[in-house]
Amino acid sequence: MRNFLFVPDKEKDFQSYMVYVLAIIWTLVTGMIVCIGFFYFPDLSPRWLTLLSTSLAIAAFNLIINHLGYTRLASWSLSLMLWLYVTIPCYSAGGIMAPGIISQMSVILTAGFLLGWRGGLAIGLLTITTDFVLAYLEVIGLLPVATVKHTPISRWISNIIPFGTVLALQYYSTNHLRTSLLALQLEIKKREKAEILKDEILYDLKERVKELKTLYEVSRILQDEEATTDTLLRQIVQLLPLGWQYPTKTAARICVDTTSYATDNYIPCEFYQMAEMTTAKGRKISIEIVYLQPMPERDEGPFLEEERNLINMLVEMLKVDLERRERSAELKAYKYALDTAAIVSISGVDAELTFVNENFCKATQYTPEELMGKHHSFIWSDNYSPDYFTEMQMAMQDGTPYRGKFCNKTKDDTLYWVDTTIVPFLDESGKIYQYLSINYDITERREAEEKIKQSEQLIRKITSQVPGNTYMFEIEESGQFNVLFMNRGTDIFNHTFDFEDISKQPEKLIEALHVDDKAKFNQALKEAYRTQTIISIQYRMVVGEHTRWRWLQAIPEKNKDGKTIWYGATADITPLVDYIASIEQFIFDLSHVIRRPIASIMGLTRLIIDNDLSETESREISQKLYVISEEMDKFIRELNYEYLQKRQDTTLNIDISSFIDKRSSLFN
């Protein structure tokens, strides 16, 4: 039967299954009887058809109810319908002696299967009562005459129903009982395995509870901020054995760098478990757990896999705590240094003060109580335009640090300057929740800068009356230079660059050099950097459409930082260069042009001296000498004219007549 019927899993499904099975069994048995009856008693075909149709109707009706989910109703309905199906024909088929009366036994069994012992008992009592009534009616003669005369064969056929039903139920119950017993046996084995697994799980859970308790206790100890690291580690090492399988046979040791902390029973042993880590600052931390005697083999020697996780977590906890304490100590030191050196305040997003340090109170002359809750502008002076804080406000809104200089006022309205750095603090969602302001009093430096600026302005004012350019500059190894100070002077041919331009772009001066002098200028600066000596160089600059000669002279001097600074000036020497060029040209002309006629004169005079010339020959030579003398006189007058012209054109206005030798004759 189990080969073609589904097997239920739940109680309701099982009862539905039984309704289905018993309805099919009754229908099949009835169908078999009807087939036999048609064969042996064809004349009773109406009776057989009635039995078959009634059986099919009962099965169909109850199967539909069962399919709709009314299983309990279908169970009662099937039991009662089968009882009526068997009992009613007994009334007209011989009463208590009718063959069908035996089928009531199978109905009682069916009710017992479907409705349990209470349902089976109810149907049994109903059957006993009904059969008694039928017997009584037959005794008093009120039972109708049987309409069917049964033969032994027909009685055998009629008994097939109870026997077949009983056999089917017996087979099913026996098979079901056997299956149930097997299932029960399997269930018992499963329960035994489950009990073993439960015990193992309970053991593991106890171990995990020990491990968690150890972790909790270590975490609780590490929360003590007042205790020293040495004290904490001594407490922790005593707790560690309690987290392992065999606490009474376990010892532990913690090592931090070269310092160790161990339980009283610790001795080195071959049965050990160890974990080691290194902090960010390179400090080594290790935990060693040892069993003092051999133990059963587990996941890692005698140790559990979970114990490996536990020791790793404990080392990690110690590492994190040591790093946290190191950072905390550093932060305390930083805070102390910051509070000592700086003016510190904290404000909320509304710029209202929530914290000020002692230096802040000293600088402002207010007490902390007077400052708390006040807007930061409470200490601002009136030396600002409305747009002064625009950049700062934009930085604060963007959540970026800002640095600036501010002039504040004290309680007695004294002004002081601070160099301020404002750092916004962001929460996890990226929103600003407060601002940290770090300030340094720069009042004295500001006053010194003002004095330096005034001195610089005075120097510029003085040096602006010098014709040349004055410089203060430093030189790099490559020959590049950085101008630290410059003044243009009064010379109309000085370059037109401002100090701001040259300080930012010193290459502009190089660009203004004559193309033929750039390499020489750069080489001179390199040599000055190498030798740390005075610079003296003449070069040309292109100023507008003019090419002017300049002379740079500068002396080196080391500042307080040990850096060499050159101080010097440049002067326009173009007139001097032109004057020297004129003199050089004059000397060149004297040494080259006049020498030719003089050589001719010397040759002719030698001819007169060495020869006895006639009057005619002397006259001819004299004429030649005269021509040569005229040429020399003409050239000398032209040379003198050119010299006087050059003298008038030069811008140099120096009277040097007192230095000239006033000889009346060339041959004194």
Side-chain angles (χ1 to χ4, degrees), residues 346-354 374-376 392-393 396-397 399 422-427 430-436:
I346 298 176
S347 60
V349 292
D350 52 2
E352 293 182 357
L353 294 169
T354 59
K374 295 291 178 61
H375 194 278
H376 214 290
M392 181 190 72
Q393 291 172 350
M396 296 301 96
Q397 292 173 359
I422 303 175
V423 181
F425 283 57
L426 309 179
D427 58 20
K431 294 183 179 179
I432 302 171
Y433 66 91
Q434 70 178 20
Y435 298 97
L436 172 66

Side-chain angles (χ1 to χ4, degrees), residues 16 33 48 53 84 90 127 153 164 168 188 203-204 216 253-254 308 316 318 361 377 379 397 428 447 458 467 494:
S16 175
I33 293 172
W48 306 128
S53 60
L84 291 173
C90 292
T127 302
I153 296 299
I188 291 172
Y203 178 79
D204 289 341
Y216 169 76
R253 182 175 68 166
I254 298 175
R308 164 54 60 187
E316 179 71 22
L318 295 183
C361 297
S377 60
I379 59 172
Q397 292 173 359
E428 294 180 354
E447 292 174 353
L458 179 61
N494 285 344

Side-chain angles (χ1 to χ4, degrees), residues 277-294:
M277 287 188 180
T278 304
T279 67
K281 288 193 172 183
R283 300 183 69 186
K284 290 185 178 180
I285 307 170
S286 65
I287 295 179
E288 183 182 1
I289 304 294
V290 299
Y291 285 150
L292 302 175
Q293 63 187 55

Side-chain angles (χ1 to χ4, degrees), residues 25 67 159 161 180 256 335 341 382 384 456 471 506 508 588:
I25 290 175
H67 180 70
N159 289 332
I161 291 179
S180 299
V256 178
K335 183 178 183 301
D382 300 327
Y384 303 107
E456 185 176 323
Y471 292 98
K508 285 188 175 182
F588 177 84

Side-chain angles (χ1 to χ4, degrees), residues 1-6 17 21 24-25 28 168 171-172 175:
M1 189 70 67
R2 289 172 61 87
N3 293 332
F4 61 89
L5 299 177
F6 68 90
Y17 167 68
V21 169
I24 296 298
I25 290 175
L28 292 175
Y171 165 78
Y172 181 77
N175 187 58

Side-chain angles (χ1 to χ4, degrees), residues 273-426:
Q273 189 177 43
M274 185 175 181
E276 184 179 77
M277 287 188 180
T278 304
T279 67
K281 288 193 172 183
R283 300 183 69 186
K284 290 185 178 180
I285 307 170
S286 65
I287 295 179
E288 183 182 1
I289 304 294
V290 299
Y291 285 150
L292 302 175
Q293 63 187 55
M295 296 297 173
E297 287 291 318
R298 297 301 296 266
D299 301 324
E300 183 182 323
F303 298 97
L304 298 172
E305 180 182 353
E306 290 77 11
E307 289 170 342
R308 164 54 60 187
N309 296 334
L310 174 62
I311 194 172
N312 288 339
M313 290 179 65
L314 288 169
V315 172
E316 179 71 22
M317 288 174 66
L318 295 183
K319 170 180 172 291
V320 170
D321 186 74
L322 282 177
E323 290 178 338
R324 180 182 63 81
R325 290 176 184 271
E326 289 172 353
R327 289 194 297 269
S328 178
E330 287 182 355
L331 287 175
K332 287 181 181 179
Y334 292 152
K335 183 178 183 301
Y336 175 77
L338 191 62
D339 283 340
T340 302
I343 302 169
V344 182
S345 67
I346 298 176
S347 60
V349 292
D350 52 2
E352 293 182 357
L353 294 169
T354 59
F355 168 81
V356 292
N357 70 346
E358 185 178 351
N359 286 343
F360 194 98
C361 297
K362 288 180 180 179
T364 60
Q365 299 177 0
Y366 287 101
T367 64
E369 293 74 20
E370 291 175 317
L371 292 168
M372 289 300 98
K374 295 291 178 61
H375 194 278
H376 214 290
S377 60
F378 176 68
I379 59 172
W380 291 350
S381 67
D382 300 327
N383 296 348
Y384 303 107
S385 65
D387 299 332
Y388 187 83
F389 298 100
T390 302
E391 183 180 352
M392 181 190 72
Q393 291 172 350
M394 291 178 63
M396 296 301 96
Q397 292 173 359
D398 294 338
T400 57
Y402 172 81
R403 183 173 181 179
K405 295 179 176 61
F406 298 95
C407 182
N408 296 334
K409 61 181 179 180
T410 64
K411 191 174 183 178
D412 61 1
D413 290 333
T414 301
L415 299 182
Y416 67 97
W417 282 87
V418 289
D419 185 346
T420 300
T421 300
I422 303 175
V423 181
F425 283 57
L426 309 179

Side-chain angles (χ1 to χ4, degrees), residues 379-516:
I379 59 172
W380 291 350
S381 67
D382 300 327
N383 296 348
Y384 303 107
S385 65
D387 299 332
Y388 187 83
F389 298 100
T390 302
E391 183 180 352
M392 181 190 72
Q393 291 172 350
M394 291 178 63
M396 296 301 96
Q397 292 173 359
D398 294 338
T400 57
Y402 172 81
R403 183 173 181 179
K405 295 179 176 61
F406 298 95
C407 182
N408 296 334
K409 61 181 179 180
T410 64
K411 191 174 183 178
D412 61 1
D413 290 333
T414 301
L415 299 182
Y416 67 97
W417 282 87
V418 289
D419 185 346
T420 300
T421 300
I422 303 175
V423 181
F425 283 57
L426 309 179
D427 58 20
E428 294 180 354
S429 61
K431 294 183 179 179
I432 302 171
Y433 66 91
Q434 70 178 20
Y435 298 97
L436 172 66
S437 177
I438 304 173
N439 310 271
Y440 294 96
D441 192 328
I442 58 170
T443 305
E444 293 183 1
R445 189 176 77 187
R446 187 84 179 186
E447 292 174 353
E449 288 176 352
E450 287 295 326
K451 290 180 180 179
I452 291 173
K453 188 178 292 185
Q454 292 174 4
S455 299
E456 185 176 323
Q457 290 175 351
L458 179 61
I459 292 172
R460 288 183 185 278
K461 187 174 182 180
I462 294 173
T463 56
S464 64
Q465 305 306 313
V466 178
N469 299 106
T470 54
Y471 292 98
M472 181 173 71
F473 59 93
E474 58 182 359
I475 305 174
E476 299 176 3
E477 185 177 1
S478 63
Q480 299 294 321
F481 60 92
N482 300 313
V483 178
L484 306 177
F485 174 84
M486 185 196 76
N487 196 60
R488 286 184 54 223
T490 60
D491 197 323
I492 61 172
F493 288 109
N494 285 344
H495 57 73
T496 59
F497 305 133
D498 292 328
F499 170 65
E500 287 75 13
D501 294 336
I502 296 303
S503 61
K504 294 178 182 178
Q505 296 176 299
E507 62 273 10
K508 285 188 175 182
L509 276 176
I510 301 298
E511 293 174 359
L513 292 175
H514 192 279
V515 65
D516 294 336

